[in-house]
PDB file of all heavy atoms in Angstrom:
ATOM      1  N   CYS W  23     106.242 -38.121  18.199  1.00  0.00           N
ATOM      2  CA  CYS W  23     105.715 -38.622  16.931  1.00  0.00           C
ATOM      3  C   CYS W  23     105.552 -37.434  15.997  1.00  0.00           C
ATOM      4  O   CYS W  23     105.006 -36.404  16.398  1.00  0.00           O
ATOM      5  CB  CYS W  23     104.375 -39.312  17.172  1.00  0.00           C
ATOM      6  SG  CYS W  23     103.462 -39.780  15.686  1.00  0.00           S
ATOM      7  N   SER W  24     106.031 -37.569  14.773  1.00  0.00           N
ATOM      8  CA  SER W  24     105.825 -36.511  13.794  1.00  0.00           C
ATOM      9  C   SER W  24     105.231 -37.113  12.523  1.00  0.00           C
ATOM     10  O   SER W  24     105.499 -38.265  12.197  1.00  0.00           O
ATOM     11  CB  SER W  24     107.129 -35.778  13.488  1.00  0.00           C
ATOM     12  OG  SER W  24     108.086 -36.664  12.941  1.00  0.00           O
ATOM     13  N   PHE W  25     104.428 -36.316  11.827  1.00  0.00           N
ATOM     14  CA  PHE W  25     103.775 -36.790  10.614  1.00  0.00           C
ATOM     15  C   PHE W  25     103.863 -35.712   9.550  1.00  0.00           C
ATOM     16  O   PHE W  25     103.916 -34.509   9.855  1.00  0.00           O
ATOM     17  CB  PHE W  25     102.315 -37.202  10.881  1.00  0.00           C
ATOM     18  CG  PHE W  25     101.526 -36.204  11.682  1.00  0.00           C
ATOM     19  CD1 PHE W  25     100.743 -35.253  11.047  1.00  0.00           C
ATOM     20  CD2 PHE W  25     101.557 -36.230  13.067  1.00  0.00           C
ATOM     21  CE1 PHE W  25     100.012 -34.334  11.787  1.00  0.00           C
ATOM     22  CE2 PHE W  25     100.829 -35.312  13.815  1.00  0.00           C
ATOM     23  CZ  PHE W  25     100.059 -34.362  13.177  1.00  0.00           C
ATOM     24  N   THR W  26     103.895 -36.142   8.296  1.00  0.00           N
ATOM     25  CA  THR W  26     104.170 -35.201   7.210  1.00  0.00           C
ATOM     26  C   THR W  26     102.916 -34.533   6.656  1.00  0.00           C
ATOM     27  O   THR W  26     102.988 -33.402   6.174  1.00  0.00           O
ATOM     28  CB  THR W  26     104.908 -35.918   6.068  1.00  0.00           C
ATOM     29  OG1 THR W  26     104.129 -37.054   5.655  1.00  0.00           O
ATOM     30  CG2 THR W  26     106.289 -36.370   6.519  1.00  0.00           C
ATOM     31  N   ASP W  27     101.790 -35.223   6.698  1.00  0.00           N
ATOM     32  CA  ASP W  27     100.561 -34.683   6.137  1.00  0.00           C
ATOM     33  C   ASP W  27      99.639 -34.265   7.281  1.00  0.00           C
ATOM     34  O   ASP W  27      99.145 -35.124   8.013  1.00  0.00           O
ATOM     35  CB  ASP W  27      99.879 -35.730   5.252  1.00  0.00           C
ATOM     36  CG  ASP W  27      98.656 -35.177   4.538  1.00  0.00           C
ATOM     37  OD1 ASP W  27      98.225 -34.039   4.830  1.00  0.00           O
ATOM     38  OD2 ASP W  27      98.118 -35.899   3.667  1.00  0.00           O
ATOM     39  N   SER W  28      99.409 -32.984   7.426  1.00  0.00           N
ATOM     40  CA  SER W  28      98.622 -32.495   8.562  1.00  0.00           C
ATOM     41  C   SER W  28      97.118 -32.687   8.369  1.00  0.00           C
ATOM     42  O   SER W  28      96.331 -32.436   9.287  1.00  0.00           O
ATOM     43  CB  SER W  28      98.925 -31.017   8.805  1.00  0.00           C
ATOM     44  OG  SER W  28      98.559 -30.250   7.669  1.00  0.00           O
ATOM     45  N   ALA W  29      96.720 -33.139   7.202  1.00  0.00           N
ATOM     46  CA  ALA W  29      95.289 -33.362   6.945  1.00  0.00           C
ATOM     47  C   ALA W  29      94.861 -34.719   7.498  1.00  0.00           C
ATOM     48  O   ALA W  29      94.547 -35.641   6.746  1.00  0.00           O
ATOM     49  CB  ALA W  29      95.008 -33.292   5.446  1.00  0.00           C
ATOM     50  N   ILE W  30      94.850 -34.818   8.800  1.00  0.00           N
ATOM     51  CA  ILE W  30      94.506 -36.083   9.455  1.00  0.00           C
ATOM     52  C   ILE W  30      93.154 -35.957  10.148  1.00  0.00           C
ATOM     53  O   ILE W  30      92.749 -34.867  10.560  1.00  0.00           O
ATOM     54  CB  ILE W  30      95.571 -36.510  10.486  1.00  0.00           C
ATOM     55  CG1 ILE W  30      95.736 -35.446  11.583  1.00  0.00           C
ATOM     56  CG2 ILE W  30      96.899 -36.779   9.800  1.00  0.00           C
ATOM     57  CD1 ILE W  30      96.607 -35.898  12.733  1.00  0.00           C
ATOM     58  N   TYR W  31      92.469 -37.085  10.265  1.00  0.00           N
ATOM     59  CA  TYR W  31      91.221 -37.121  11.032  1.00  0.00           C
ATOM     60  C   TYR W  31      91.515 -37.259  12.515  1.00  0.00           C
ATOM     61  O   TYR W  31      90.844 -36.695  13.357  1.00  0.00           O
ATOM     62  CB  TYR W  31      90.343 -38.290  10.591  1.00  0.00           C
ATOM     63  CG  TYR W  31      89.703 -38.132   9.236  1.00  0.00           C
ATOM     64  CD1 TYR W  31      89.099 -39.214   8.617  1.00  0.00           C
ATOM     65  CD2 TYR W  31      89.678 -36.912   8.571  1.00  0.00           C
ATOM     66  CE1 TYR W  31      88.514 -39.085   7.369  1.00  0.00           C
ATOM     67  CE2 TYR W  31      89.095 -36.779   7.329  1.00  0.00           C
ATOM     68  CZ  TYR W  31      88.514 -37.876   6.736  1.00  0.00           C
ATOM     69  OH  TYR W  31      87.934 -37.747   5.510  1.00  0.00           O
ATOM     70  N   ASN W  32      92.522 -38.078  12.797  1.00  0.00           N
ATOM     71  CA  ASN W  32      92.872 -38.293  14.189  1.00  0.00           C
ATOM     72  C   ASN W  32      94.276 -38.875  14.298  1.00  0.00           C
ATOM     73  O   ASN W  32      94.884 -39.255  13.297  1.00  0.00           O
ATOM     74  CB  ASN W  32      91.869 -39.229  14.872  1.00  0.00           C
ATOM     75  CG  ASN W  32      91.706 -40.546  14.137  1.00  0.00           C
ATOM     76  OD1 ASN W  32      92.672 -41.258  13.872  1.00  0.00           O
ATOM     77  ND2 ASN W  32      90.470 -40.880  13.816  1.00  0.00           N
ATOM     78  N   LEU W  33      94.748 -38.897  15.522  1.00  0.00           N
ATOM     79  CA  LEU W  33      96.040 -39.509  15.822  1.00  0.00           C
ATOM     80  C   LEU W  33      95.831 -40.402  17.036  1.00  0.00           C
ATOM     81  O   LEU W  33      95.122 -40.035  17.978  1.00  0.00           O
ATOM     82  CB  LEU W  33      97.094 -38.439  16.117  1.00  0.00           C
ATOM     83  CG  LEU W  33      98.512 -38.980  16.332  1.00  0.00           C
ATOM     84  CD1 LEU W  33      99.525 -38.105  15.635  1.00  0.00           C
ATOM     85  CD2 LEU W  33      98.826 -39.140  17.793  1.00  0.00           C
ATOM     86  N   GLN W  34      96.451 -41.555  16.988  1.00  0.00           N
ATOM     87  CA  GLN W  34      96.193 -42.517  18.038  1.00  0.00           C
ATOM     88  C   GLN W  34      97.508 -43.111  18.528  1.00  0.00           C
ATOM     89  O   GLN W  34      98.396 -43.421  17.724  1.00  0.00           O
ATOM     90  CB  GLN W  34      95.267 -43.626  17.496  1.00  0.00           C
ATOM     91  CG  GLN W  34      94.557 -44.432  18.531  1.00  0.00           C
ATOM     92  CD  GLN W  34      93.363 -45.198  17.944  1.00  0.00           C
ATOM     93  OE1 GLN W  34      93.042 -45.068  16.772  1.00  0.00           O
ATOM     94  NE2 GLN W  34      92.707 -45.987  18.768  1.00  0.00           N
ATOM     95  N   TRP W  35      97.597 -43.258  19.827  1.00  0.00           N
ATOM     96  CA  TRP W  35      98.755 -43.910  20.433  1.00  0.00           C
ATOM     97  C   TRP W  35      98.352 -45.309  20.889  1.00  0.00           C
ATOM     98  O   TRP W  35      97.289 -45.511  21.494  1.00  0.00           O
ATOM     99  CB  TRP W  35      99.258 -43.114  21.632  1.00  0.00           C
ATOM    100  CG  TRP W  35     100.044 -41.894  21.252  1.00  0.00           C
ATOM    101  CD1 TRP W  35      99.570 -40.623  21.089  1.00  0.00           C
ATOM    102  CD2 TRP W  35     101.456 -41.829  21.010  1.00  0.00           C
ATOM    103  NE1 TRP W  35     100.595 -39.776  20.749  1.00  0.00           N
ATOM    104  CE2 TRP W  35     101.766 -40.473  20.699  1.00  0.00           C
ATOM    105  CE3 TRP W  35     102.501 -42.767  21.030  1.00  0.00           C
ATOM    106  CZ2 TRP W  35     103.059 -40.052  20.409  1.00  0.00           C
ATOM    107  CZ3 TRP W  35     103.788 -42.345  20.744  1.00  0.00           C
ATOM    108  CH2 TRP W  35     104.058 -40.995  20.440  1.00  0.00           C
ATOM    109  N   PHE W  36      99.241 -46.268  20.602  1.00  0.00           N
ATOM    110  CA  PHE W  36      99.009 -47.654  20.969  1.00  0.00           C
ATOM    111  C   PHE W  36     100.213 -48.174  21.741  1.00  0.00           C
ATOM    112  O   PHE W  36     101.323 -47.677  21.600  1.00  0.00           O
ATOM    113  CB  PHE W  36      98.854 -48.545  19.728  1.00  0.00           C
ATOM    114  CG  PHE W  36      97.700 -48.197  18.833  1.00  0.00           C
ATOM    115  CD1 PHE W  36      97.824 -47.208  17.869  1.00  0.00           C
ATOM    116  CD2 PHE W  36      96.500 -48.882  18.938  1.00  0.00           C
ATOM    117  CE1 PHE W  36      96.766 -46.895  17.028  1.00  0.00           C
ATOM    118  CE2 PHE W  36      95.443 -48.579  18.107  1.00  0.00           C
ATOM    119  CZ  PHE W  36      95.572 -47.584  17.152  1.00  0.00           C
ATOM    120  N   ARG W  37      99.963 -49.217  22.487  1.00  0.00           N
ATOM    121  CA  ARG W  37     101.065 -49.961  23.080  1.00  0.00           C
ATOM    122  C   ARG W  37     100.995 -51.371  22.540  1.00  0.00           C
ATOM    123  O   ARG W  37      99.915 -51.908  22.272  1.00  0.00           O
ATOM    124  CB  ARG W  37     100.976 -49.894  24.614  1.00  0.00           C
ATOM    125  CG  ARG W  37     100.617 -51.139  25.313  1.00  0.00           C
ATOM    126  CD  ARG W  37     100.722 -51.081  26.815  1.00  0.00           C
ATOM    127  NE  ARG W  37     101.612 -52.107  27.302  1.00  0.00           N
ATOM    128  CZ  ARG W  37     102.185 -52.092  28.500  1.00  0.00           C
ATOM    129  NH1 ARG W  37     101.958 -51.070  29.320  1.00  0.00           N
ATOM    130  NH2 ARG W  37     102.969 -53.052  28.869  1.00  0.00           N
ATOM    131  N   GLN W  38     102.182 -51.944  22.312  1.00  0.00           N
ATOM    132  CA  GLN W  38     102.249 -53.318  21.830  1.00  0.00           C
ATOM    133  C   GLN W  38     103.261 -54.082  22.668  1.00  0.00           C
ATOM    134  O   GLN W  38     104.432 -53.712  22.723  1.00  0.00           O
ATOM    135  CB  GLN W  38     102.646 -53.369  20.346  1.00  0.00           C
ATOM    136  CG  GLN W  38     102.596 -54.776  19.772  1.00  0.00           C
ATOM    137  CD  GLN W  38     102.882 -54.826  18.283  1.00  0.00           C
ATOM    138  OE1 GLN W  38     103.633 -54.031  17.743  1.00  0.00           O
ATOM    139  NE2 GLN W  38     102.248 -55.773  17.588  1.00  0.00           N
ATOM    140  N   ASP W  39     102.802 -55.132  23.305  1.00  0.00           N
ATOM    141  CA  ASP W  39     103.683 -56.006  24.050  1.00  0.00           C
ATOM    142  C   ASP W  39     104.242 -57.053  23.095  1.00  0.00           C
ATOM    143  O   ASP W  39     103.632 -57.368  22.069  1.00  0.00           O
ATOM    144  CB  ASP W  39     102.926 -56.647  25.202  1.00  0.00           C
ATOM    145  CG  ASP W  39     102.528 -55.616  26.247  1.00  0.00           C
ATOM    146  OD1 ASP W  39     103.421 -55.152  26.964  1.00  0.00           O
ATOM    147  OD2 ASP W  39     101.341 -55.243  26.314  1.00  0.00           O
ATOM    148  N   PRO W  40     105.406 -57.627  23.430  1.00  0.00           N
ATOM    149  CA  PRO W  40     106.055 -58.584  22.508  1.00  0.00           C
ATOM    150  C   PRO W  40     105.127 -59.711  22.093  1.00  0.00           C
ATOM    151  O   PRO W  40     104.518 -60.384  22.933  1.00  0.00           O
ATOM    152  CB  PRO W  40     107.238 -59.094  23.336  1.00  0.00           C
ATOM    153  CG  PRO W  40     107.548 -57.977  24.265  1.00  0.00           C
ATOM    154  CD  PRO W  40     106.224 -57.376  24.632  1.00  0.00           C
ATOM    155  N   GLY W  41     105.004 -59.917  20.799  1.00  0.00           N
ATOM    156  CA  GLY W  41     104.198 -61.001  20.268  1.00  0.00           C
ATOM    157  C   GLY W  41     102.703 -60.791  20.355  1.00  0.00           C
ATOM    158  O   GLY W  41     101.927 -61.713  20.059  1.00  0.00           O
ATOM    159  N   LYS W  42     102.295 -59.602  20.733  1.00  0.00           N
ATOM    160  CA  LYS W  42     100.867 -59.332  20.917  1.00  0.00           C
ATOM    161  C   LYS W  42     100.359 -58.302  19.922  1.00  0.00           C
ATOM    162  O   LYS W  42     101.121 -57.709  19.172  1.00  0.00           O
ATOM    163  CB  LYS W  42     100.609 -58.823  22.348  1.00  0.00           C
ATOM    164  CG  LYS W  42     101.081 -59.769  23.437  1.00  0.00           C
ATOM    165  CD  LYS W  42     100.292 -61.052  23.438  1.00  0.00           C
ATOM    166  CE  LYS W  42     100.710 -61.937  24.606  1.00  0.00           C
ATOM    167  NZ  LYS W  42      99.949 -63.233  24.623  1.00  0.00           N
ATOM    168  N   GLY W  43      99.042 -58.085  19.960  1.00  0.00           N
ATOM    169  CA  GLY W  43      98.431 -57.075  19.106  1.00  0.00           C
ATOM    170  C   GLY W  43      98.539 -55.691  19.718  1.00  0.00           C
ATOM    171  O   GLY W  43      99.334 -55.450  20.631  1.00  0.00           O
ATOM    172  N   LEU W  44      97.741 -54.777  19.199  1.00  0.00           N
ATOM    173  CA  LEU W  44      97.784 -53.386  19.633  1.00  0.00           C
ATOM    174  C   LEU W  44      96.755 -53.122  20.718  1.00  0.00           C
ATOM    175  O   LEU W  44      95.627 -53.583  20.627  1.00  0.00           O
ATOM    176  CB  LEU W  44      97.492 -52.460  18.459  1.00  0.00           C
ATOM    177  CG  LEU W  44      98.392 -52.574  17.233  1.00  0.00           C
ATOM    178  CD1 LEU W  44      97.978 -51.558  16.189  1.00  0.00           C
ATOM    179  CD2 LEU W  44      99.835 -52.389  17.614  1.00  0.00           C
ATOM    180  N   THR W  45      97.172 -52.351  21.705  1.00  0.00           N
ATOM    181  CA  THR W  45      96.234 -51.866  22.718  1.00  0.00           C
ATOM    182  C   THR W  45      96.134 -50.364  22.562  1.00  0.00           C
ATOM    183  O   THR W  45      97.144 -49.658  22.664  1.00  0.00           O
ATOM    184  CB  THR W  45      96.734 -52.213  24.137  1.00  0.00           C
ATOM    185  OG1 THR W  45      96.836 -53.625  24.268  1.00  0.00           O
ATOM    186  CG2 THR W  45      95.776 -51.665  25.184  1.00  0.00           C
ATOM    187  N   SER W  46      94.939 -49.875  22.288  1.00  0.00           N
ATOM    188  CA  SER W  46      94.765 -48.442  22.109  1.00  0.00           C
ATOM    189  C   SER W  46      94.902 -47.729  23.450  1.00  0.00           C
ATOM    190  O   SER W  46      94.306 -48.129  24.448  1.00  0.00           O
ATOM    191  CB  SER W  46      93.391 -48.155  21.508  1.00  0.00           C
ATOM    192  OG  SER W  46      93.197 -46.762  21.348  1.00  0.00           O
ATOM    193  N   LEU W  47      95.700 -46.669  23.467  1.00  0.00           N
ATOM    194  CA  LEU W  47      95.913 -45.902  24.689  1.00  0.00           C
ATOM    195  C   LEU W  47      95.120 -44.603  24.677  1.00  0.00           C
ATOM    196  O   LEU W  47      94.350 -44.333  25.586  1.00  0.00           O
ATOM    197  CB  LEU W  47      97.399 -45.581  24.857  1.00  0.00           C
ATOM    198  CG  LEU W  47      98.336 -46.776  25.015  1.00  0.00           C
ATOM    199  CD1 LEU W  47      99.780 -46.311  25.015  1.00  0.00           C
ATOM    200  CD2 LEU W  47      98.023 -47.550  26.284  1.00  0.00           C
TER     201      LEU W  47
END
Side-chain angles (χ1 to χ4, degrees):
Chain W
C23 171
S24 61
F25 47 95
T26 55
D27 185 352
S28 62
I30 60 171
Y31 288 168
N32 54 54
L33 185 138
Q34 199 163 357
W35 283 93
F36 299 84
R37 110 172 237 161
Q38 185 176 31
D39 293 288
K42 303 294 184 181
L44 303 181
T45 299
S46 179
L47 298 174

